[in-house]
Amino acid sequence: MKKYILFGFLFFTALSAWSSTLDTSAEYVYSSDFNRARAGAALPLGTMASIELQGQYIYDKTPLDRGGFKDPAYSVYLPMQLDLDLVKLNLTPFYYFKNKSTLPDLQDSSAYGLQAQVLMDLRADETEGVYTQAYVGAGYANQKASVWAEGDLDNRNYRQMAYTLGLRQDYYNAFVFHVAGTAYQYPDGIDGVDAFRGVMDQNDLAFTQSYDVSRQLGKYVLSARLTRVWSEQRSTLYAGYHYAEFYTADPQHSVLAGNSFYVANRAQIDAAYNHLQTTNGKNKRDIFYIHLNLAF
């Protein structure tokens, strides 16, 4: 896997020398449980395709004696997009580098996988300003992880799948309503699994209207988002929500509110606040997110 990452980096470097434009992005997420930073650069490949290289860093604040990781988690991504007349295809392979454990019973953790999404235009009424899009997503990951099943610890490779179905409705270029559902599958079995320790953020398989770093094994997530758009000012206000159930954690609610706007012709900022809590109210956390995009 590392040789493929090296090849992707060299390939991206060669493309950047050839391309006349470059879109760069950087984001930072803070909470009481973790700090996360991601940076990337995207290049257009003609008028219908693009490729991007991203790197991510996650610092966990979980104590080592409670299963926390010895080092920050580092991962890389290679998002690719193909934009046709009626269909858009997004592919994002990713890889998490090995993270060593300080507990002798737990193995070192790493992961690799792929997220794919097909976005289809169902309706485009330019006169009325009403647009409808549907998308289907699928994600696959293989993690080197520690699994507790029926009280026994098993260090092994553990696979999972995520399937997403979503709908976006745009009204008069002013309001966008978005609903989605994600279901998870575990080819290596989920019966009796009580706890799980892996390095991968589950949002890499499907974004569910939360900026949390979650490593719990999910059952399903239902999410919605409402966005108010001001096209002339190139700004938005949005609010999102999800309800999630897990095999290895309590169900949770997530509420998201954010604002995106341009500060210059080629500089855009997106800032958001995310509150999560379990349905029993015992676990609450606040997350702050900021994203900067610059085009050259």
Side-chain angles (χ1 to χ4, degrees):
M1 177 61 68
K2 291 183 179 179
K3 64 181 180 181
Y4 295 115
I5 295 172
L6 178 60
F7 173 78
F9 176 77
L10 295 176
F11 178 64
F12 187 87
T13 302
L15 286 176
S16 64
W18 165 79
S19 177
S20 60
T21 60
L22 180 68
D23 288 329
T24 62
S25 64
E27 66 180 46
Y28 182 75
V29 182
Y30 170 83
S31 83
S32 58
D33 296 333
F34 67 90
N35 295 337
R36 176 170 69 83
R38 181 181 291 205
L43 296 171
L45 304 178
T47 59
M48 297 187 300
S50 66
I51 187 170
E52 185 174 3
L53 180 64
Q54 297 177 349
Q56 180 174 267
Y57 157 100
I58 299 175
Y59 172 71
D60 287 283
K61 301 176 184 178
T62 303
L64 295 177
D65 57 1
R66 291 175 48 197
F69 292 101
K70 178 181 178 181
D71 301 312
Y74 296 96
S75 53
V76 291
Y77 306 81
L78 195 66
M80 294 168 280
Q81 184 179 65
L82 178 63
D83 190 353
L84 303 177
D85 289 338
L86 299 177
V87 174
K88 294 180 182 178
L89 175 62
N90 299 300
L91 294 174
T92 304
F94 59 86
Y95 179 77
Y96 279 78
F97 295 95
K98 182 187 294 185
N99 202 312
K100 295 183 179 181
S101 174
T102 59
L103 300 179
D105 293 336
L106 303 181
Q107 70 173 347
D108 299 339
S109 184
S110 61
Y112 64 87
L114 173 71
Q115 183 190 102
Q117 185 185 95
V118 178
L119 179 67
M120 298 157 285
D121 291 325
L122 302 182
R123 180 186 179 188
D125 189 333
E126 296 183 5
T127 302
E128 296 292 334
V130 178
Y131 304 91
T132 305
Q133 293 178 318
Y135 65 90
V136 178
Y140 168 81
N142 189 328
Q143 296 198 65
K144 190 175 182 181
S146 299
V147 182
W148 285 263
E150 298 179 347
D152 295 326
L153 172 63
D154 185 10
N155 290 320
R156 54 178 164 135
N157 287 331
Y158 193 74
R159 298 172 297 165
Q160 67 177 106
M161 305 284 294
Y163 306 98
T164 301
L165 180 62
L167 183 70
R168 290 186 181 132
Q169 182 68 57
D170 187 326
Y171 293 100
Y172 317 114
N173 296 316
F175 296 94
V176 180
F177 186 61
H178 172 200
V179 293
T182 299
Y184 298 87
Q185 179 187 10
Y186 301 92
D188 295 317
I190 194 65
D191 291 341
V193 173
D194 304 312
F196 179 83
R197 183 185 184 271
V199 71
M200 184 191 77
D201 180 7
Q202 295 291 324
N203 271 322
D204 288 341
L205 294 181
F207 179 67
T208 60
Q209 302 303 325
S210 170
Y211 294 117
D212 190 26
V213 172
S214 175
R215 301 188 176 100
Q216 302 298 333
L217 300 182
K219 293 181 181 179
Y220 67 89
V221 184
L222 301 175
S223 63
R225 182 167 179 155
L226 178 63
T227 304
R228 176 67 168 99
V229 181
W230 290 273
S231 302
E232 297 80 4
Q233 289 79 26
R234 298 190 296 173
S235 65
T236 71
L237 285 174
Y238 58 87
Y241 168 80
H242 89 211
Y243 173 77
E245 288 201 0
F246 304 89
Y247 290 101
T248 57
D250 294 328
Q252 74 175 17
H253 300 281
S254 169
V255 178
L256 175 69
N259 175 213
S260 69
F261 55 94
Y262 275 81
V263 293
N265 187 40
R266 295 191 173 188
Q268 183 186 32
I269 290 178
D270 184 3
Y273 165 72
N274 189 191
H275 176 77
L276 295 98
Q277 69 176 53
T278 54
T279 54
N280 57 22
K282 293 182 179 180
N283 185 5
K284 299 180 181 179
R285 53 199 182 277
D286 298 303
I287 300 171
F288 301 91
Y289 166 87
I290 188 165
H291 177 103
L292 172 65
N293 183 271
L294 292 173
F296 298 96

